[in-house]
Amino acid sequence: MAGFENYVEEAKEIELEIERKGIVLGIDWTNDVQVRALAKEALDQSAAEIKLSASSPIDRKLMAKVDLFGLAGIMLKTMEECAGVGFECHGGPAWKAFGKALWAEVEQRKSQEAIP
């Protein structure tokens, strides 16, 4: 329920998981081009499109991406809930870099859709 959650602690936990997935994927959160490419991929994919076969070996990088893309949704929902109760909430450098890249990609797509 909004107002009873510890958003600061939740943001720290999400940030930690984003950092962990970034390590698995070899992401340099200060590399804008690399992070933007990841954001583009996150927006282009859906969980339904990512196929994990029970008979194939576990692909740790694919699993990290699936988790990271899910964390992006949780990250955005957390920020939305914080705004709903009247304060700004965000994580650290990895959160900010990924969030900035996601936002830039969304804005670019909106502007491209507006062009006839």
Side-chain angles (χ1 to χ4, degrees):
M1 175 177 251
F4 295 108
E5 294 184 41
N6 186 341
Y7 293 112
V8 173
E9 189 60 35
E10 188 173 331
K12 287 179 185 177
E13 290 174 17
I14 295 167
E15 170 77 9
L16 181 59
E17 287 304 313
I18 290 171
E19 289 173 347
R20 287 176 175 159
K21 303 314 173 200
I23 290 169
V24 172
L25 296 169
I27 301 298
D28 174 0
W29 295 109
T30 64
N31 182 327
D32 292 338
V33 173
Q34 186 183 33
V35 177
R36 182 68 180 265
L38 184 66
K40 181 180 184 327
E41 187 177 357
L43 294 173
D44 287 344
Q45 300 297 319
S46 72
E49 293 173 327
I50 299 174
K51 310 255 189 270
L52 298 175
S53 171
S55 62
S56 63
I58 295 175
D59 182 338
R60 296 201 189 289
K61 286 192 176 192
L62 178 60
M63 292 300 297
K65 274 188 184 181
V66 170
D67 289 347
L68 182 60
F69 297 167
L71 286 167
I74 294 169
M75 176 178 76
L76 296 173
K77 182 68 175 168
T78 300
M79 290 188 298
E80 179 182 57
E81 287 180 8
C82 288
V85 295
F87 69 96
E88 187 176 312
C89 156
H90 53 75
W95 172 307
K96 290 176 186 174
F98 195 35
K100 178 182 172 184
L102 286 164
W103 184 254
E105 187 63 30
V106 167
E107 288 300 310
Q108 179 181 349
R109 290 173 185 214
K110 284 181 184 177
S111 68
Q112 288 174 342
E113 290 174 1
I115 298 172

